[in-house]
Amino acid sequence: MMRSDTVRLLNLLQLLSEIAVAVGYLIGLIPFAYLWSYTWVIPLVFVNLVFAFLTNNGTTIKTIINIVVSFLSFIPLLGIVFRVIGIVISLINVRELSRYRGRG
């Protein structure tokens, strides 16, 4: 079992990472900008999955979905829809992590 301050720190790091993922998806809505923003979106969704597993904070399923969405975002034209879905998932995780942080 992890110490509560370690869990709080990991949740904070995941929260910041989720914000960065959402910003990456948002930048990706600009034509061809996703070719740049994916360089941090793809790695961060995997990092978020590790944080979710370690902290068991209820974001694991949504994070796995976000991993799939991040790869589907490469589909020309249709990728825009997946980027919007990714933004929504990241914002839901941010809200959930903010609530969880408040309880900790």
Side-chain angles (χ1 to χ4, degrees):
M1 186 101 205
M2 279 191 276
R3 294 176 30 188
S4 64
D5 55 339
T6 303
V7 171
R8 270 189 297 238
L9 176 62
L10 292 175
N11 278 326
L12 176 62
L13 292 173
Q14 185 181 359
L15 175 69
L16 295 173
S17 181
E18 284 288 355
I19 292 169
V21 167
V23 168
Y25 281 131
L26 191 61
I27 290 171
L29 293 175
I30 301 167
F32 301 107
Y34 194 70
L35 297 174
W36 171 65
S37 67
Y38 85 93
T39 59
W40 78 79
V41 170
I42 300 283
L44 285 180
V45 292
F46 284 101
V47 168
N48 286 340
L49 183 61
V50 172
F51 287 147
F53 276 136
L54 288 175
T55 60
N56 195 23
N57 58 20
T59 61
T60 306
I61 299 298
K62 290 182 292 298
T63 302
I64 291 169
I65 293 169
N66 220 1
I67 288 171
V68 173
V69 166
S70 69
F71 285 102
L72 292 174
S73 294
F74 284 106
I75 300 171
L77 296 179
L78 190 57
I80 293 171
V81 173
F82 290 110
R83 289 177 211 134
V84 171
I85 292 169
I87 291 169
V88 170
I89 292 170
S90 288
L91 292 178
I92 290 169
N93 278 347
V94 164
R95 188 183 69 209
E96 194 167 318
L97 288 164
S98 295
R99 260 193 249 144
Y100 187 83
R101 215 173 144 244
R103 285 183 272 156

